[in-house]
Amino acid sequence: AQTIHQWPVAEIKAVGSPLSLGCTIKGKSSPNLYWYWQATGGTLQQLFYSITVGQVESVVQLNLSASRPKDDQFILSTEKLLLSHSGFYLCAWSPGTGIAETLYFGSGTRLTVL
Amino acid sequence: AQSVTQPDARVTVSEGASLQLRCKYSYSGTPYLFWYVQYPRQGLQLLLKYYSGDPVVQGVNGFEAEFIKSNSSFHLRKASVHWSDSAVYFCAVSAYNNNAPRFGAGTKLSVKP
C-alpha cells in the first residue's frame, strides 16, 4: 500500500527566517506530486506540481519554491518567510495515469509565522 | 479554465437528518468532478468522483452525488447524517488531461446530536 508522510507536523517560525517542508511517498513509483496551501478556514490553493524528478511547475508562487530531488520526495521551501505564509500546507500525490485522478493527501504541516 | 462554487460556507443539521451540500462548477468541456472531506487537522480524503456513466455516483459512508449537466451542478447528499460526519467538504473539478483539480471554498458541516 502507498503511504505519504509529511514533515514537520507543525512549525512556528519568525518572519524572515528560512523554511523547508517535505513529503515522501512510499509504495508508488513515478507519482505526480502536488503542494497545496490552505489559509486558516480557507480553500485550497495549488502551489506547485511535478510529474517527474527534477521538474516542477509553478501554479502560484507566493514567494515559495519547490523541488523534487528524488522520485518519492517533494520539498517546499523559502529563504525568507512572510506573515502571509502562515497556514496549512498539504502535499498530495496522484498515480499519474491520466484522467480524473484521485489525489491522496498527507496529513499536512501547520505553519505559523510570527 | 474550470472553477467551482460552493455557496454555503457553513451547514448545520441534526443527527439523523438528510443532507445536501451544493456545488456548481464552471467548465466548457467535459468536467471530472470530485467530493473530498477534511476532518480537523487532517488532509483531504476522497468521498466520490464522477467522470462518465451513471450521473448518480455512490461514495464512502453512504454519501452520493448527482451530476446534472444542464444545471452545472454536482450536489452531495446523504440520507441520514451522523455526528462523525462533521467536517469540511470540498467539491473539485478537473479538465481532461489536467491532473490537478480546482477546489471550491469548502462547506463546513456541523452535525448536532
Side-chain angles (χ1 to χ4, degrees):
Chain A
Q2 301 86 5
T3 60
I4 177 169
H5 173 61
Q6 272 190 255
W7 75 89
V9 172
E11 279 267 47
I12 299 175
K13 304 277 281 186
V15 170
S17 63
L19 174 76
S20 181
L21 306 179
C23 76
T24 300
I25 293 82
K26 295 299 183 187
K28 175 62 183 167
S29 63
S30 304
N32 289 350
L33 298 176
Y34 310 86
W35 278 111
Y36 283 86
W37 173 71
Q38 187 177 29
T40 301
T43 191
L44 289 144
Q45 173 66 63
Q46 189 189 0
L47 300 176
F48 300 93
Y49 71 92
S50 171
I51 61 173
T52 192
V53 174
Q55 280 190 12
V56 176
E57 300 295 329
S58 171
V59 178
V60 175
Q61 280 194 319
L62 300 180
N63 292 306
L64 297 166
S65 61
S67 64
R68 186 172 178 174
K70 296 192 284 186
D71 185 54
D72 63 353
Q73 195 173 77
F74 208 20
I75 306 296
L76 183 70
S77 61
T78 183
E79 292 190 0
K80 281 190 175 181
L81 278 165
L82 307 173
L83 284 174
S84 57
H85 285 137
S86 291
F88 196 48
Y89 289 83
L90 287 160
C91 181
W93 70 272
S94 69
T97 52
I99 302 169
E101 294 195 343
T102 298
L103 292 183
Y104 298 91
F105 287 84
S107 297
T109 295
R110 174 75 57 191
L111 174 66
T112 303
V113 182
L114 303 174
Chain B
Q2 61 274 30
S3 66
V4 174
T5 300
Q6 293 181 249
D8 305 308
R10 293 176 182 268
V11 170
T12 300
V13 298
S14 297
E15 193 167 25
S18 62
L19 171 71
Q20 177 172 279
L21 301 182
R22 296 185 290 165
C23 171
K24 299 267 287 188
Y25 69 90
S26 174
Y27 180 57
S28 56
T30 301
Y32 301 98
L33 297 158
F34 308 79
W35 276 99
Y36 285 84
V37 61
Q38 185 179 30
Y39 298 102
R41 295 173 297 281
Q42 294 186 26
L44 281 71
Q45 304 167 35
L46 181 73
L47 276 178
L48 49 80
K49 66 180 178 183
Y50 171 82
Y51 55 93
S52 68
D54 188 339
V56 179
V57 290
Q58 305 296 322
V60 298
N61 296 334
F63 286 95
E64 67 173 29
E66 184 174 7
F67 169 57
I68 302 180
K69 187 176 181 179
S70 60
N71 196 33
S72 298
S73 68
F74 190 57
H75 301 333
L76 182 71
R77 303 189 295 238
K78 187 171 184 179
S80 176
V81 297
H82 187 264
W83 64 266
S84 59
D85 292 325
S86 297
V88 181
Y89 292 79
F90 290 93
C91 182
V93 61
S94 68
Y96 180 79
N97 269 350
N98 181 337
N99 290 330
R102 190 72 59 90
F103 286 85
T107 297
K108 184 173 183 178
L109 173 66
S110 298
V111 180
K112 298 186 299 183

